[in-house]
Amino acid sequence: MSSTSSLAGRKLVLSTLLETDHYESLIKDLTCTKCNKYMKPPIHLCVDGHSLCGPCFEKSYQCHLCKKEFALVRPMVLESLANKVLFPCTNEGCPKHANLPLLEKHIPHCQFRIINCFMARVYGDCSWEGRAGEWMDHCFVAHKQKVTELPFITIKDKWDAKRTEPVLNYFLMKCYEKVFNVYQIYDKRGGRMMWTVLVNDDNADKFYFEIDLFLPNLPSKRIIYRRPCKCEKDADFLEHTQNVYIPVENVFSMLDESESMNFTVRIGEVENLPLLETPTESESLILLHNDDFKEQDH
C-alpha cells in the first residue's frame, strides 16, 4: 500500500470517528456545564461529579447545578483527555478539528466566524453581517471604490476638519495571493497622519508598502515613504515604529485647490527591491576636505 493511500485511509478513519455519537458525547463531557466552553486543565469537580472549568471555578463557591461544595480531587483522566482530544471549531459550518491550543489560535481568524462589515465602522451605511470568508466578495460588490485587485490604489480624499473618528480611510488590496488592509489614521493629539498596512501572514515583512503624496499639477512637490507591512496578529501595530508618520503640517501643505489629499498606496515584495550601494563622497565634499587640509599645512 502506498503512503498516499495510507494517509487517505487514516484521514477517512479520523473523519468517520469525529462524526460518531460517541465522539460528540466525549466533547460534551469536556465542555464546562456553566459557561459552555471547552475545558482545559485544571478541571474541577463538585462532590456529585459535575465538572467545571478553571475560570468558572475561580468565580464560584459551590456547584451551580447541585449547590454542593467542590471536591478536593481533580479528574486526572478527564484532564488527560482534554489535552489529547481534537475539538471541533465552534463556528457553524467550519470543519476544523484541533487540540485546544491550536483551536484557540484558529477561532479568532476562522473564515466561518460571523462578522459585521468593517467598512461600516469607518464610512457608515452598511448593515452587512456574514461569514468572514464571504466579506471580501461583499466588499467588491458594495464598496467598489475601497477595494482593488491591483498592487496599488490612488485616492483623492477631501479634508474634513469636523471628522472626529481617528480612522480616516480603510482600503482592501488583494494582490500577491494575499489581502492587505490599509489604514489611514489621523492622530490629532500627536499632530500627525499615520498609514499602516496589515496582512494575514506571519512573514509580513517580506512585503512593503509605499505612501506617495502628490499634487497633480505640481510635480515638484511630493512626499514618498516606504515601510514593511505588518502581521494582522500584531496587537501593538498602531504603536509600531515602522508605520508611516507624517507631521500634519506637511500633509496640509500637500492639499490641492479643492482641499483634497491625493495619495497612492503601493504594495510590493521586498525580494524584488534593488539593493542600494553605500554612497561615495560627493565631489564638492572631497574638494572641501582638500581645502581644509591645505589650510592645516599652512
Side-chain angles (χ1 to χ4, degrees):
M1 183 181 293
S2 68
S3 59
T4 303
S5 59
S6 177
L7 178 61
R10 289 199 296 271
K11 287 184 177 179
L12 179 61
V13 171
L14 178 60
S15 176
T16 304
L17 174 62
L18 295 176
E19 293 175 359
T20 61
D21 292 339
H22 172 74
Y23 201 85
E24 288 182 5
S25 177
L26 177 60
I27 296 299
K28 185 177 180 181
D29 289 339
L30 292 170
T31 301
C32 179
T33 55
K34 187 172 184 178
C35 68
N36 206 36
K37 295 180 180 179
Y38 298 143
M39 295 187 293
K40 60 182 178 181
I43 298 174
H44 301 271
L45 295 174
C46 75
V47 292
D48 273 2
H50 300 126
S51 56
L52 205 66
C53 69
C56 287
F57 172 78
E58 294 295 331
K59 295 181 287 186
S60 306
Y61 63 92
Q62 63 181 14
C63 177
H64 62 289
L65 294 176
C66 63
K67 308 303 179 186
K68 294 183 179 179
E69 69 273 13
F70 293 111
L72 297 178
V73 295
R74 296 224 313 263
M76 304 307 293
V77 173
L78 206 59
E79 290 186 351
S80 178
L81 286 172
N83 286 325
K84 300 174 182 176
V85 164
L86 300 180
F87 291 85
C89 177
T90 53
N91 293 310
E92 185 177 353
C94 181
K96 180 76 172 181
H97 287 72
N99 58 39
L100 284 179
L102 291 179
L103 196 64
E104 288 173 352
K105 294 180 180 179
H106 161 79
I107 288 178
H109 304 283
C110 176
Q111 295 298 292
F112 287 82
R113 73 189 190 279
I114 301 301
I115 64 170
N116 297 108
C117 180
F118 185 76
M119 295 289 184
R121 295 175 57 182
V122 180
Y123 304 109
D125 301 325
C126 185
S127 58
W128 182 88
E129 182 181 88
R131 288 178 172 175
E134 299 170 352
W135 179 57
M136 193 72 179
D137 293 334
H138 156 75
C139 288
F140 271 101
V141 173
H143 308 285
K144 294 179 180 179
Q145 294 182 336
K146 308 298 181 184
V147 295
T148 181
E149 290 187 282
L150 297 172
F152 64 89
I153 186 170
T154 299
I155 304 299
K156 182 181 179 70
D157 187 45
K158 187 171 179 59
W159 175 254
D160 182 2
K162 296 181 180 179
R163 282 198 64 172
T164 56
E165 293 295 326
V167 181
L168 299 184
N169 282 299
Y170 172 73
F171 313 103
L172 289 171
M173 302 175 67
K174 190 176 182 181
C175 52
Y176 302 107
E177 300 182 349
K178 303 287 182 181
V179 176
F180 296 84
N181 301 265
V182 182
Y183 293 84
Q184 180 194 1
I185 298 173
Y186 178 34
D187 179 7
K188 192 172 184 179
R189 179 177 296 180
R192 59 187 182 175
M193 197 75 70
M194 186 195 86
W195 281 266
T196 191
V197 176
L198 306 181
V199 59
N200 188 13
D201 192 316
D202 289 335
N203 298 312
D205 57 0
K206 67 184 178 183
F207 300 102
Y208 69 88
F209 71 98
E210 282 184 351
I211 302 299
D212 185 348
L213 273 74
F214 61 92
L215 285 170
N217 299 318
L218 191 60
S220 60
K221 289 191 69 173
R222 195 172 179 185
I223 300 175
I224 302 177
Y225 276 81
R226 178 186 292 164
R227 292 289 185 270
C229 295
K230 287 168 289 301
C231 180
E232 288 181 354
K233 299 173 186 177
D234 289 347
D236 61 342
F237 72 90
L238 288 177
E239 303 299 327
H240 206 288
T241 57
Q242 292 299 326
N243 296 326
V244 167
Y245 297 100
I246 302 179
V248 72
E249 58 268 22
N250 291 1
V251 175
F252 288 163
S253 72
M254 299 296 291
L255 297 181
D256 62 19
E257 60 275 5
S258 66
E259 294 190 347
S260 295
M261 187 187 315
N262 301 273
F263 63 92
T264 298
V265 182
R266 301 185 189 90
I267 304 293
E269 294 178 300
V270 173
E271 66 178 8
N272 293 327
L273 289 174
L275 293 177
L276 301 178
E277 296 181 0
T278 302
T280 57
E281 285 189 296
S282 67
E283 186 176 346
S284 59
L285 190 59
I286 294 173
L287 291 174
L288 180 63
H289 286 171
N290 288 339
D291 288 342
D292 289 341
F293 288 130
K294 289 177 181 178
E295 289 180 4
Q296 290 177 8
D297 292 339
H298 290 299

